[in-house]
Amino acid sequence: MKNQIRQIFHSPKFKVGFVIFAALLLLTFFYPLIVTDDPLEMVGQGNFFKPGTYISVTEAVNTDPYTLNMNTSSGRMEKNLSMEERMAMADWLGQFAGLSPKEMDVTDADGLVSLWKEHYDSSSEQKGLIAARKKYFSRLDKKITGLLEDRDILLAEKNKETGELSVKETIPSTSYVNVSDVGSRRVFILGTDNFGRDVLTELVAAIKTSLKIGFIAGLIATTIGLSLGLIAGYLGGFIDDLILFITNLFTVIPSFILLILISYSIGKNARGVMMVAIIIGLTSWTWTTRSVRSQVISLRNRDHVNLSKLSGHSLFRIILTDILPYIASYVVMALILQISSGILAEAQLSMIGLGPATTTVSTLGLMMNWAMSYSAHLNGDWWAYFPVIISIALISFSLNLMNTGLDQIFNPQLRE
Amino acid sequence: MGYKKYYTNKIIWYLLTLVIAVVLNFILPRLMPGDPVSAIAARAVNGMTDSTAIQAVYEDYAEKFGINLPMSTQFAIFIKNAVRGDFGVSFSQYPRTVSNIIASSVWWTVCLQLPAILLGWILGNVLGAVSAYKKGIFDKGVLPVFLFMSNVPAFGMATVLLYVFSLKLGMAPSSGGYGFDLIPTASITFFRSVLAHYQLPFWSVVLITIGGQAIGMRSMSIYELNADYVKYSRFMGIKDRKIVGYVFRNAMLPQITGLAMSIGTMIGGALVAEIIFSYPGLGTTLLAAVKGRDYPLISACTLIITIMVLLANLIVELIYGVIDPRIKAAQQD
C-alpha cells in the first residue's frame, strides 16, 4: 500500500493534477478566512461592474490633493475617443485634408487629435458627405475641444438657510489623489455579477458547493455501482443477467434526460443542493457497475478466491478480503471520474434552469446560469462567466489528470 | 447468415429499451409528489377567491389531462397519442401544438450535432493514432492542448468562441440560427446566413470532442502497436504502412463502441451549448419549456432526444457488426 502511494506520486501526470486540485481545495478553505464577507452580499447597485478598485468619490475629493505636473489631456484622449471615432477622424483627414494613411496612426490618439485640430474646419465644403455625417464630425470636434480644455472643476456647497450655492473648493486638472489616502474602497478583482455581488468571493463559495455536489454524487454513484457490480460479477447467473440488462438500459438512455425528468418532477421546492447531488448520483452509476462487474468476473475463479470458498468463509468476507483489494484502484479511478462528471452535470442542469432552486448558496452552474440570463455573454462582461468556465475546466482537468496518472500505474501497458 | 441473427437481436434489444424509456418518460413525472397538472392548475387559479370556481378549474384540468383516469388507461392514451405524433398543446407557446414546435426545432439539432460529433470523433481518432505512431510534437504538444479543451464544458467552449469570434473579432453572428431579418426560404441569402450562424455552435462541439476521443485512440494504438502480431509482421518483412493499417483498424473497434456509449453524454452537453447561441434547436426549446413550466413540451423534448440517442446508438452498433468480422464469426458458432 505504502509502496503504491509512493509510486502514484512518481507519476508526473498525477502530480500535476493533484497540485491543481489541492490548490483549488485550499483556496476554498483559506479564502473565506481572509475575506470574511458574505459571498452572496449584494454590494453593487446595478449589474456587472468592471473588475478594479473602487474608491469613494466624496472621500477622494476631501483628501489632500497632490499637484503633479502631468499632461492629463492625453490620458483623457486615450480613454474617451473610441476606436470608431478615431477611424472616422482618420477617414475625414484622408478624404478632405489629403493626408496619406501612413501619416495617421489610430492607436496614437494624441497625434491624431493634433492633426485633426490642424486640418479640421467645419465650414469647409466636405463634398460627398450627407448632412448627418457633417453634423457628426462637428459634434466630434466639439467633443475633442472639450476634452482638450484643462478647466478647473468647482465644488459648490449649499447654504442651509438660503439654499444658495457657494464655491467651496476648486479642483485644478493637475491635482491628484493618492489611492491609499482614501479609506473607503473596495477591490473587485473579478468585478461584480448581475446582482452586484463580488464575483471572486462568490466564485470561491461556488467552487466549494460544486465540489461538495461532485463528492456526494460521486460517492452515491460509486456505492451503487460498486455494490451492483460486485453482486452481478460474483453471483453470476440470473442476477447477473438482470443487473447487466438494467445497466445496459441506463447506459443507452441518456442520463442527462433522466436528470431533467427527475429534477423537473420533484419540483422547485424540493430541489436543494443536496437533492440535486443525490439525483446526479442516482443517474450516473452505470460505468462503475460495468467496469467493476467485468473485473470481478475475471477474479471470481482465481485460486485464492476458491481457497477462501473451500475454507467456508462467508460471502461478505470473501468479497471484502479477496475481491475488493484487487479492484480498489478501479473504484478510486471511477470515483474520481464521477466527481468531475457530477460537477459538470450540475452545471448543465443549472444552465437549463433545473439546478438547485436556492438563493442562499451559489454553485458554478447557478453563477453561469445567472450570467447567461442577464446576457453577460452578449455584452462582453467576461468577468461574470470566464472565471466560472475556467474553474470547471480546471477541476475537471485536474481530476482527469489524476485519473490518467493512476491508470498508467495500474495498467503498465499504457506506460511510455 | 450470421448477420441476420446479430441484427435481429440488436433491433429487438433497442425496441425493448425504447419501450422502457417511454415508460420512464411517462411514469417518472407521475411518481413524484405534486403532479405537474395540479401545479399548472394552481397557477391558473392564482388570484381566484371563489372556491367553487377553483374546484371547477381543477376538475377541468384533471379531465383535460386525464389524471383522474387509472394509470393504465392514461398510459394507453399517452402511447396512442405519441404514436400519432400528438403531444398536446404547448402551455408557454399557446396555441401551437407541441409536435409543431418539436418539428421546427429537431432538424436544427440533428443537422448541428450529428456532423459535429462525427467530425470531432474522426479528428480525435486521427490525432490519437498520429500521436501514438509519430509521437513528438503531436503527442507532447497538440494532444495535451486538445485534452485540456475536452475538459471545458460544451457551453463553456461556446461562450469562449462567442466572445472571441463574435464580440471581439466580429467574424460570426452571435445568436440565432439565421439572420433575424430573414424568413426561412430556399434562397441563397438565407442559406448563407444559416451557414454563418452554424459555424460557432458547430466548432464548439467539435473542439471539445476531439481530446477525449484522441486519448482513447492513443491508448488503444499503443496497446496494438506492442501486440505480438505487429512484431511478427515486422519480422516477416511486411511493409510498415500495411502493418499500421492493420493496427489502426483493430484500434478503431473499441472506439466505435466508445462512440455508441458516449453519444448520450455528448448530446446532453451540446444541447446546453445551443442555449448560449440561442440556436433554434431542441436545447433552446427545452430551456424555454423549463422557464415557461411547459410540461407537455418538456416531456416531448426528452422523449424525442431519447429516441434520437437510441437511433444513433443502434446505427453505430449495426455498422460495428459489418466492420468487425468477429461478430459474424461469433454468431455462426
Side-chain angles (χ1 to χ4, degrees):
Chain A
M1 191 66 187
K2 208 171 153 191
N3 190 34
Q4 259 177 353
I5 290 174
R6 198 181 304 143
Q7 216 179 356
I8 288 169
F9 277 92
H10 272 303
S11 154
K13 278 184 183 148
F14 184 87
K15 263 193 286 194
V16 173
F18 185 80
V19 167
I20 298 175
F21 190 72
L24 283 170
L25 262 186
L26 289 178
L27 180 73
T28 64
F29 183 72
F30 283 111
Y31 185 88
L33 295 182
I34 300 164
V35 180
T36 46
D37 300 318
D38 173 16
L40 297 181
E41 187 197 352
M42 298 182 190
V43 196
Q45 285 224 351
N47 37 27
F48 301 125
F49 292 167
K50 274 188 289 187
T53 312
Y54 289 76
I55 59 170
S56 150
V57 176
T58 47
E59 262 187 65
V61 166
N62 287 324
T63 45
D64 295 333
Y66 302 89
T67 304
L68 300 180
N69 292 321
M70 269 166 59
N71 183 9
T72 50
S73 73
S74 82
R76 276 208 300 272
M77 288 296 165
E78 285 293 343
K79 263 247 154 21
N80 288 307
L81 277 185
S82 73
M83 226 5 150
E84 200 190 328
E85 285 166 336
R86 292 184 202 183
M87 293 297 225
M89 285 161 72
D91 268 356
W92 194 95
L93 289 172
Q95 234 176 322
F96 303 108
L99 296 179
S100 73
K102 272 183 207 156
E103 291 173 68
M104 292 175 283
D105 179 14
V106 284
T107 51
D108 171 27
D110 252 352
L112 198 64
V113 164
S114 60
L115 278 175
W116 175 261
K117 278 281 139 201
E118 212 172 296
H119 294 281
Y120 180 76
D121 177 19
S122 60
S123 58
S124 76
E125 201 179 353
Q126 306 176 36
K127 252 188 202 147
L129 277 191
I130 54 169
R133 197 67 179 159
K134 280 182 195 166
K135 274 184 193 150
Y136 171 79
F137 281 116
S138 79
R139 273 202 309 275
L140 193 59
D141 186 51
K142 259 186 205 151
K143 180 182 173 182
I144 292 168
T145 317
L147 285 173
L148 279 176
E149 270 176 42
D150 279 331
R151 250 185 306 192
D152 295 352
I153 289 176
L154 299 185
L155 281 184
E157 229 172 6
K158 209 176 195 174
N159 192 315
K160 264 179 198 158
E161 283 140 33
T162 58
E164 268 175 30
L165 296 176
S166 57
V167 175
K168 184 192 167 198
E169 205 183 335
T170 47
I171 302 177
S173 63
T174 46
S175 95
Y176 283 76
V177 162
N178 189 335
V179 177
S180 58
D181 286 348
V182 181
S184 312
R185 61 180 157 151
R186 176 85 185 242
V187 184
F188 294 117
I189 296 175
L190 292 174
T192 71
D193 72 354
N194 55 306
F195 295 117
R197 305 190 287 214
D198 181 359
V199 171
L200 183 65
T201 317
E202 193 188 355
L203 182 73
V204 173
I207 291 176
K208 195 173 175 181
T209 327
S210 281
L211 282 177
K212 206 160 77 186
I213 293 178
F215 268 115
I216 296 169
L219 276 181
I220 293 174
T222 309
T223 316
I224 299 176
L226 179 63
S227 345
L228 285 181
L230 280 174
I231 296 170
Y234 189 76
L235 294 181
F238 173 71
I239 293 176
D240 182 27
D241 288 343
L242 184 72
I243 291 178
L244 188 62
F245 176 73
I246 296 173
T247 312
N248 281 342
L249 258 183
F250 284 103
T251 321
V252 217
I253 299 176
S255 62
F256 186 58
I257 291 303
L258 288 177
L259 267 178
I260 291 176
L261 277 177
I262 301 176
S263 311
Y264 185 73
S265 310
I266 62 167
K268 243 191 165 137
N269 302 332
R271 223 167 45 224
V273 167
M274 251 330 201
M275 188 47 107
V276 169
I278 292 172
I279 300 171
I280 293 172
L282 287 181
T283 51
S284 53
W285 45 267
T286 48
W287 287 93
T288 318
T289 311
R290 290 173 84 100
S291 61
V292 168
R293 176 183 165 273
S294 57
Q295 289 296 316
V296 174
I297 286 178
S298 73
L299 280 169
R300 183 167 68 184
N301 288 324
R302 296 260 183 95
D303 285 342
H304 73 281
V305 180
N306 282 332
L307 193 68
S308 251
K309 268 190 220 164
L310 287 176
S311 324
H313 290 161
S314 70
L315 176 72
F316 185 70
R317 186 167 161 193
I318 295 176
I319 287 183
L320 203 67
T321 58
D322 298 325
I323 290 186
L324 262 186
Y326 289 84
I327 58 170
S329 61
Y330 279 87
V331 177
V332 172
M333 273 163 13
L335 176 66
I336 289 178
L337 286 185
Q338 304 275 23
I339 292 172
S340 97
S341 70
I343 290 169
L344 186 61
E346 185 275 328
Q348 288 181 344
L349 208 52
S350 297
M351 289 284 292
I352 56 163
L354 288 173
T358 162
T359 48
T360 51
V361 283
S362 63
T363 68
L364 290 173
L366 286 177
M367 282 184 77
M368 196 69 199
N369 185 28
W370 282 118
M372 295 297 113
S373 303
Y374 281 71
S375 306
H377 58 306
L378 296 177
N379 300 330
D381 304 322
W382 55 268
W383 55 90
Y385 59 88
F386 270 158
V388 182
I389 295 170
I390 290 171
S391 310
I392 297 178
L394 273 183
I395 293 175
S396 153
F397 184 61
S398 63
L399 288 170
N400 274 319
L401 266 185
M402 280 157 78
N403 187 61
T404 319
L406 288 177
D407 208 15
Q408 282 176 346
I409 298 207
F410 295 110
N411 292 335
Q413 246 164 343
L414 292 177
R415 276 185 220 164
E416 277 113 42
Chain B
M1 288 314 286
Y3 283 130
K4 204 172 166 186
K5 195 174 157 203
Y6 174 76
Y7 285 155
T8 350
N9 276 348
K10 280 290 165 204
I11 290 171
I12 290 176
W13 196 84
Y14 272 95
L15 280 179
L16 196 65
T17 317
L18 178 64
V19 170
I20 291 173
V22 172
V23 171
L24 279 176
N25 208 54
F26 169 80
I27 221 160
L28 272 178
R30 284 167 180 77
L31 275 183
M32 301 299 159
D35 62 301
V37 175
S38 55
I40 296 154
R43 264 205 307 162
V45 299
N46 192 10
M48 284 191 192
T49 44
D50 185 359
S51 61
T52 46
I54 291 177
Q55 200 184 2
V57 170
Y58 267 107
E59 271 163 18
D60 186 46
Y61 269 103
E63 200 175 329
K64 229 174 230 161
F65 289 93
I67 50 165
N68 44 8
L69 298 170
M71 206 63 125
S72 54
T73 327
Q74 279 186 47
F75 186 64
I77 296 171
F78 175 80
I79 292 293
K80 206 174 82 192
N81 287 337
V83 168
R84 285 204 318 244
D86 176 7
F87 295 100
V89 180
S90 157
F91 293 155
S92 55
Q93 302 179 39
Y94 189 85
R96 278 180 89 184
T97 60
V98 169
S99 40
N100 179 274
I101 299 173
I102 297 277
S104 67
S105 60
V106 69
W107 292 111
W108 289 102
T109 294
V110 171
C111 294
L112 172 69
Q113 302 205 359
L114 196 67
I117 289 176
L118 272 181
L119 182 67
W121 182 76
I122 292 170
L123 289 180
N125 281 320
V126 170
L127 177 63
V130 170
S131 64
Y133 185 64
K134 296 248 179 200
K135 299 209 165 68
I137 178 78
F138 290 102
D139 201 25
K140 295 277 176 277
V142 185
L143 185 68
V145 171
F146 277 102
L147 260 186
F148 182 75
M149 272 199 236
S150 72
N151 287 299
V152 178
F155 61 82
M157 187 53 87
T159 45
V160 172
L161 291 189
L162 182 77
Y163 186 82
V164 175
F165 290 102
S166 183
L167 295 186
K168 288 289 144 193
L169 298 178
M171 278 162 63
S174 61
S175 67
Y178 48 84
F180 58 90
D181 50 349
L182 298 172
I183 20 169
T185 46
S187 67
I188 291 179
T189 2
F190 179 70
F191 184 71
R192 276 229 187 99
S193 169
V194 168
L195 209 62
H197 283 79
Y198 189 75
Q199 299 303 324
L200 291 187
F202 178 76
W203 289 107
S204 60
V205 176
V206 171
L207 285 179
I208 59 154
T209 315
I210 293 176
Q213 300 297 330
I215 191 76
M217 183 64 181
R218 179 179 169 275
S219 315
M220 282 317 299
S221 301
I222 289 177
Y223 181 83
E224 290 285 337
L225 280 171
N226 294 332
D228 289 341
Y229 74 88
V230 174
K231 286 174 195 152
Y232 182 67
S233 308
R234 285 226 169 101
F235 290 138
M236 295 271 285
I238 296 177
K239 277 193 192 114
D240 229 29
R241 182 177 287 270
K242 201 159 191 187
I243 302 176
V244 169
Y246 289 139
V247 165
F248 292 133
R249 196 172 156 189
N250 277 334
M252 277 304 284
L253 293 172
Q255 284 300 99
I256 295 175
T257 332
L259 175 68
M261 301 194 95
S262 54
I263 265 181
T265 327
M266 288 187 206
I267 287 186
L271 280 175
V272 181
E274 279 183 10
I275 294 173
I276 304 287
F277 297 104
S278 310
Y279 205 72
L282 286 173
T284 313
T285 310
L286 199 58
L287 175 74
V290 170
K291 283 210 164 138
R293 304 224 199 139
D294 190 344
Y295 175 69
L297 191 51
I298 295 178
S299 164
C301 275
T302 50
L303 192 62
I304 200 85
I305 296 166
T306 315
I307 292 174
M308 274 164 47
V309 173
L310 288 186
L311 258 180
N313 266 314
L314 177 63
I315 292 169
V316 171
E317 289 215 35
L318 294 186
I319 292 173
Y320 186 78
V322 180
I323 299 174
D324 191 354
R326 282 173 292 194
I327 296 228
K328 190 175 168 189
Q331 299 293 329
Q332 276 169 334
D333 288 341

